[in-house]
Amino acid sequence: MLRPPRSPRTRRRTYRPYAISRKQHPARWLLARVWDLIGRLWSTVIVGGLFVSILVSYLTDGTPGVTSPDTWFAVRLLRSQPVAATSGLSLAVLLTITGYIAHRLERAALIGNATIEYVLKRVDQLDPRDVGLERYVDEVYLPRRDAETDADAGDIARKALRAAVDSATDSASDAMVGAEIARGICVFGRPMAGKRRLAWEAMQDVLPGWTLVKWPYKPERPFDYIAHAGRPTVLWLDGLSKYISWGEAATLNDLPRRFAEAGIPLVVIATCRLGVDKDEAEKYLGDLLRTLAPISLTDISREQGDALVEALDKVGVAADMEEFDQTPGSVLLGVANMRDEIYPRLKEPAKQLLHTLKLLRSAGIYTYPASLTRETAKDVFRLARWRWERARNDLIFAGFVRLGSANTDGERNLEPVADVYLERAIKSFPPPRAAITDYWIKLQQSLTSQRDAKELISLGFAFLHLHVGAATKRPDDLLPNKRHAEECFRTALELYDRARFPFDWARAQRGLGSSLIDQAELAPGDASLRLLEAAVVALRAALEVVTRERDPAAWADAQSRLQSRLGYALFRHAERTAGDVRAQLLLAAEKALRSALEVCTRERDETGWANVQHNLGNVFLRQAVMTEGDQFLRLLQEAEASYRSALEVCTRERDETGWANVQHNL
């Protein structure tokens, strides 16, 4: 289990979590705490002394001013007890100076943990914390197996990366010419399965001289492709589902093309959780994933867990089996200790800030700028602004968060040391018999007051996709959530300048259209008709912005998703009208759905393709009802063909209800 020593060139030190700074540098930590106390004391003495001196002078002489130094307590003490007073003053000054120096060193250590937005370092010069490996221990390595082949997962990763290097640098062998070569790897696994660790190890072994680009979830600055032309680059994508939440799917799918056009040799390394996250990634990032070699990590046995704890203990790293769940992270990250020991000892402001991060994460917000967390904590949890910095530092020292890259305001973002801490180590939030989504309305109010259009869009989609509040899913329960989503999107549209932020504006229009369609499904009569009309306007507005000339990848994504939603909205609108208007709406719906199928192929998005085929069959069926003779027969045949196409994907085993609906229409 202990790793053999590395060669001098690749030897890397063991990185301990900054949370144990107190143990590593106890004197510095103590002096920094002394500064926290003595700094306030000096401020109180100096300011208070001046105030009292002015007050005494006013009361005795009748004029404001400073009393004679001969009357000051410190001067009288120096005259009466010169040795003791001088010794005490010297000690106070010494403690003040050393405490201040320790305070600055602690602060520098915290800030030194931050990286620039895209990292942009050579792989062999990286700190593991640059890619989020806060608990990295170099000396201890646990071999992993691939779930599909039962082969060594590390060997599979290194082999795939070498093939990707050959492909990226045009040095593939003759046998590989014409074959589909993977551009990199995607490591799948459960939470705490060691996905990031395995990706890091393979990258260090195969790509030491390459430059790492860690792609942000919401880039503050555009990436400069031209400046990196010709530089072999590793694109690091950690947690693919998080990119989907911000609508970055089109951008990520198109990244290999953009790097190639800039003349940048590229290898991609991605990680993704199993389950829902993998399903979402395959649905929205299929183009990217098809170019990556998949590696699925198996669970580890209890014997392996015991051996891992023993190996960590030998190099002085605390680990235990208390919450072992067949993953390495459950041994090393110490979730139980963070939950039962560290979290309860946090002061209330630090807990309030931690609750803020958990709340933001629940709404699909994964980037935590200082201004966002400070204002949200104030609005939702009543954390005073002046307590925010101390609360942040307490969380850093406790090991819950670290400082990340600087945003456009020059302040450092907060980054969770481990996502699992926000998920499992916060005991008191949400409180008993409450759901975290109960706080979303307060979050909406806070983001509105902050005029944060980006995060309002994220929250709007969260309202759309998740049920808030009630335990049932009756229309009366769901409708308020759709309305909150609509409010979020409309507010974002008021804040965005279409000319300056065209794609964000279009995304808000897309969300608005979806929220209006969902409300129309739940509303009666004329209200439903008005909502569908407004949805069509919003979706068409989004399509006007996203053009093929401006951004081919975003346009393709828009054709696939926006045209599909537009076609559905037009179809539902047609069902609520009659005569020539109905015929025109059905023709428009057919056109939109056919446009969607030009891009949304079965190979790229199997589920989306089946949904479009089903909706197109419905359109043909309604058109057939309005015609006669040969046209009637042709449209019925078109409808039948579309339904049968949908059934090729929508099987009874995959989706019994959807399958039954298509069978009924067929």
Side-chain angles (χ1 to χ4, degrees), residues 364-610:
I365 299 171
Y366 300 105
T367 304
Y368 310 112
S371 57
L372 172 64
T373 58
R374 185 164 49 237
E375 294 304 311
T376 305
K378 174 184 72 69
D379 295 341
V380 180
F381 299 103
R382 301 181 182 276
L383 174 63
R385 284 194 184 95
W386 64 273
R387 291 183 180 273
W388 178 88
E389 185 173 357
R390 180 61 184 270
R392 179 203 65 183
N393 290 343
D394 285 347
L395 291 183
I396 293 172
F397 288 128
F400 277 101
V401 302
R402 58 175 171 261
L403 289 175
S405 59
N407 57 26
T408 52
D409 297 328
E411 291 189 288
R412 300 293 185 183
N413 295 339
L414 297 184
E415 294 181 354
V417 167
D419 292 339
V420 72
Y421 289 161
L422 296 184
E423 297 166 359
R424 303 185 191 177
I426 301 175
K427 297 174 68 173
S428 59
F429 180 73
R433 294 183 296 279
I436 196 168
T437 49
D438 295 338
Y439 292 77
W440 280 6
I441 295 174
K442 285 187 176 180
L443 177 58
Q444 178 188 345
Q445 294 167 350
S446 175
L447 294 174
T448 301
S449 67
Q450 296 177 55
R451 300 177 62 81
D452 194 329
K454 275 191 174 184
E455 306 309 359
L456 277 168
I457 293 177
S458 296
L459 180 60
F461 279 109
F463 270 121
L464 267 185
H465 298 146
L466 295 178
H467 180 61
V468 181
T472 63
K473 291 190 176 182
R474 298 172 302 169
D476 290 345
D477 299 327
L478 291 171
L479 194 55
N481 305 323
K482 309 302 181 183
R483 288 173 178 161
H484 282 299
E486 178 189 352
E487 291 170 4
C488 289
F489 295 126
R490 289 195 183 279
T491 304
L493 287 169
E494 292 172 5
L495 296 172
Y496 271 132
D497 181 343
R498 174 176 173 173
R500 291 182 60 200
F501 305 99
F503 294 115
D504 292 333
W505 184 88
R507 186 166 182 265
Q509 290 284 14
R510 184 187 109 196
L512 176 61
S514 294
S515 67
L516 292 169
I517 291 172
D518 288 352
Q519 289 181 66
E521 299 288 352
L522 302 169
D526 292 342
S528 176
L529 191 62
R530 288 193 298 271
L531 288 165
L532 286 169
E533 290 172 346
V536 169
V537 171
L539 293 170
R540 282 179 169 161
L543 282 166
E544 289 175 6
V545 171
V546 187
T547 63
R548 175 178 278 179
E549 294 74 22
R550 175 174 277 176
D551 190 328
W555 173 84
D557 187 65
Q559 291 296 106
S560 173
R561 306 191 191 289
L562 288 176
Q563 292 282 20
S564 175
R565 292 297 276 166
L566 177 60
Y568 179 77
L570 288 165
F571 167 69
R572 297 295 288 167
H573 191 185
E575 285 193 313
R576 289 160 171 77
T577 56
D580 291 341
V581 174
R582 184 179 196 186
Q584 292 170 3
L585 288 169
L586 287 172
L587 281 173
E590 178 188 348
K591 181 180 178 181
L593 292 169
R594 287 191 184 278
S595 296
L597 285 175
E598 291 177 8
V599 177
C600 182
T601 63
R602 181 171 179 177
E603 293 72 26
R604 295 186 65 181
D605 181 0
E606 197 173 55
T607 303
W609 176 82

Side-chain angles (χ1 to χ4, degrees), residues 333-372:
L333 291 175
V335 176
N337 181 62
M338 297 296 284
R339 183 191 64 230
D340 300 331
E341 301 294 334
I342 307 299
Y343 176 80
R345 292 204 298 266
L346 290 174
K347 295 179 180 177
E348 190 59 29
K351 289 182 178 179
Q352 291 172 321
L353 181 54
L354 202 55
H355 297 168
T356 301
L357 298 180
K358 184 173 182 178
L359 174 62
L360 292 170
R361 179 183 172 81
S362 74
I365 299 171
Y366 300 105
T367 304
Y368 310 112
S371 57
L372 172 64

Side-chain angles (χ1 to χ4, degrees), residues 49-79:
L50 286 173
F51 177 77
V52 170
S53 179
I54 293 170
L55 181 62
V56 169
S57 176
Y58 182 79
L59 293 175
T60 55
D61 299 337
T63 58
V66 180
T67 59
S68 171
D70 293 337
T71 64
W72 294 358
F73 173 76
V75 174
R76 295 202 309 269
L77 185 62
L78 277 170
R79 288 177 175 174

Side-chain angles (χ1 to χ4, degrees), residues 2-16:
L2 288 178
R3 182 197 294 279
R6 294 179 181 269
S7 65
R9 184 181 69 84
T10 60
R11 175 67 181 172
R12 302 190 298 274
R13 58 176 286 238
T14 299
Y15 291 93
R16 302 293 203 275

Side-chain angles (χ1 to χ4, degrees), residues 106 241 332-333 349 401 430 448 596 611 613:
E106 290 277 274
S241 64
L332 183 60
L333 291 175
V401 302
T448 301
N611 288 335
Q613 290 285 7

